[in-house]
Amino acid sequence: MAEAGTGFLEQLKSCIVWSWTYLWTLWFFIMLFLVYILRVPLKINDNLSTVSMFLNTLTPKFYVALTGTSSLISGLILIFEWWYFRKYGTSFIEQVSVSHLRPLLGGVDNSAPSAASATGGDADSNRQSVSECKVWRNPLNLFRGAEYNRYTWVTGREPLTYYDMNLSAQDHQTFFTCDTDHLRPADAIMQKAWRERNPQARISAAHEALELNECATAYILLAEEEATTIVEAEKLFKQALKAGEGCYRRSQQLQHHGAQYEAQHRRDTNVLVYIKRRLAMCARKLGRTREAVKMMRDLMKEFPLLSMFNIHENLLEALLELQAYADVQAVLAKYDDISLPKSATICYTAALLKARAVSDKFSPEAASRRGLSTAEMNAVEAIHRAVEFNPHVPKYLLEMKSLILPPEHILKRGDSEAIAYAFFHLQHWKRVEGALNLLHCTWEGTFRMIPYPLEKGHLFYPYPICTETADRELLPSFHEVSVYPKKELPFFILFTAGLCSFTAMLALLTHQFPELMGVFAKAFLSTLFAPLNFVMEKVESILPSSLWHQLTRI
């Protein structure tokens, strides 16, 4: 019985919603008809006459104040709407309308499909969206003490956001700690140190841990945050390597004795890989590029399964510095695979290699006359593929936007990844003669191939809609985040801008020419209500004047 009553109420509600959604015009005319029939008992004509007399007695100063106040209010709404759009990328009025008013009017929220209607394709697309909006550790991230902090000392600006540093703290706790740390006093101190928000407290805890034992993670923290030069950081990492190799050998022998030993060995492996990778990066920064390449190759051979560190991207950058393009092509052949997650480094490096074969002789005028050769077509297609994956990169490579220090985490296909790539690879594009000219002539053609990137991609999945929000969290506030596709101004911003300008103009004209504006206002109102008066006269001529009395008798 209760289910039947609930079903009846749901049907009644759906009927009412349907009537308001599709029959609002009929409701409107019915209301107008009722108002016309009840005009005599409601004394509508008398009230209109009273209002008309009141308006005729008003002075021009009232209209100046009215239009001026309207202009002020619309201007304040415009300023708020513009601020909200710049910060959140959407209109506040539009968001409130969609979130609160649309459900009341019977709108359906398409963003929350029911579980019964979810198909396998929807689940796959949702998983793809989540994976593309995942934040990744930047494989080429800088050193906090030797690079990020020096930038802060010089400019007074913070290059890292709290969100970015919080993600790094979570990474350190994941990679450098395990459940058995409480059994070793030095590791127990470091476990607390990675959770500290204050940098000085972390550094003090690392020194305290080193007083108890040779702790590899303590050396890592000091190399990352206390060392003010790359040379100092390299010395500390070498000490960390000595301590880390000893821990790794001991845990390797005991890893099969239980789950705790296996977790400890996994932690020691992560620590060792991290130290060796950072030592290779120190060698690269200090100009010992061949040594860095050897260290990276040995690391990838020793730990081939640890792809989460993306060491191949460090290797690609170092090989490009050596101009070892054949070796770069060999690395790309291994990692530019359909089953592996793509990155801007892989896509744009592949485009650079193909552009290198034709860029020195490429001329847009000659290409327009004779057409593109096969090699030029391959280069253009590679550029289009790279631009589709990350459309933010070309503006940094072509120096149309200023670069900043890359964050410690990046978002694939986002502005943060574009900054991280261009920061290290711009010099490699400049070194290849004509490569930037070819990029400049061809990169915008990608957008003609995918006019609606959020709905359908060409070579990749549709461009994720979450990049702007994540990039605003990852990048500092003084950087203007690149947005793709470019958002148009919401309707309500344009509407409030027009309303503010129009009412301000009316206030000015009314103040300067009160009599002329009064004549104009009366003429405008009479013209506006002329069709309504004409309809009313026709209705009165058709309907009998005593219709209301006849209805009361019935």
Side-chain angles (χ1 to χ4, degrees), residues 228-239:
T228 57
T229 63
I230 301 298
V231 175
E232 294 179 14
E234 187 180 33
K235 291 179 180 178
L236 289 168
F237 273 120
K238 287 181 178 179
Q239 293 177 281

Side-chain angles (χ1 to χ4, degrees), residues 13-30:
K13 181 180 178 181
S14 62
C15 291
I16 295 175
V17 168
W18 181 86
S19 64
W20 276 108
T21 304
Y22 299 101
L23 301 180
W24 62 270
T25 307
L26 180 61
W27 283 99
F28 179 73
F29 282 111
I30 290 176

Side-chain angles (χ1 to χ4, degrees), residues 509-524:
L509 292 176
T510 306
H511 181 266
Q512 294 292 330
F513 312 102
E515 296 181 358
L516 183 61
M517 289 300 295
V519 174
F520 174 78
K522 291 180 180 179
F524 175 76

Side-chain angles (χ1 to χ4, degrees), residues 311-428:
I311 304 172
H312 61 276
E313 296 196 9
N314 299 83
L315 179 61
L316 284 173
E317 196 278 327
L319 290 173
L320 286 172
E321 177 65 21
L322 294 175
Q323 301 185 39
Y325 297 111
D327 294 336
V328 172
Q329 185 62 56
V331 175
L332 285 178
K334 183 179 180 180
Y335 288 96
D336 193 3
D337 187 79
I338 189 65
S339 61
L340 296 175
K342 295 292 184 295
S343 67
T345 301
I346 290 177
C347 294
Y348 278 90
T349 302
L352 176 61
L353 293 187
K354 292 187 177 181
R356 176 176 169 269
V358 298
S359 60
D360 56 338
K361 300 178 182 179
F362 177 78
S363 172
E365 294 80 9
S368 62
R369 289 195 305 268
R370 58 174 171 78
L372 294 174
S373 64
T374 303
E376 290 173 340
M377 184 64 70
N378 291 335
V380 172
E381 289 178 354
I383 290 175
H384 286 176
R385 172 177 179 263
V387 174
E388 181 184 351
F389 181 82
N390 194 317
H392 309 282
V393 172
K395 288 188 176 181
Y396 294 106
L397 292 179
L398 298 173
E399 299 181 271
M400 301 167 64
K401 286 195 69 176
S402 58
L403 275 172
I404 61 172
L405 294 185
E408 293 183 339
H409 290 80
I410 59 174
L411 182 71
K412 293 290 183 69
R413 308 184 74 178
D415 190 31
S416 52
E417 184 192 32
I419 292 172
Y421 172 79
F423 186 86
F424 293 98
H425 289 260
L426 176 59
Q427 56 181 332
H428 306 316

Side-chain angles (χ1 to χ4, degrees), residues 27-38:
W27 283 99
F28 179 73
F29 282 111
I30 290 176
M31 293 300 298
L32 285 180
F33 183 72
L34 289 176
V35 169
Y36 174 77
I37 291 178
L38 300 175

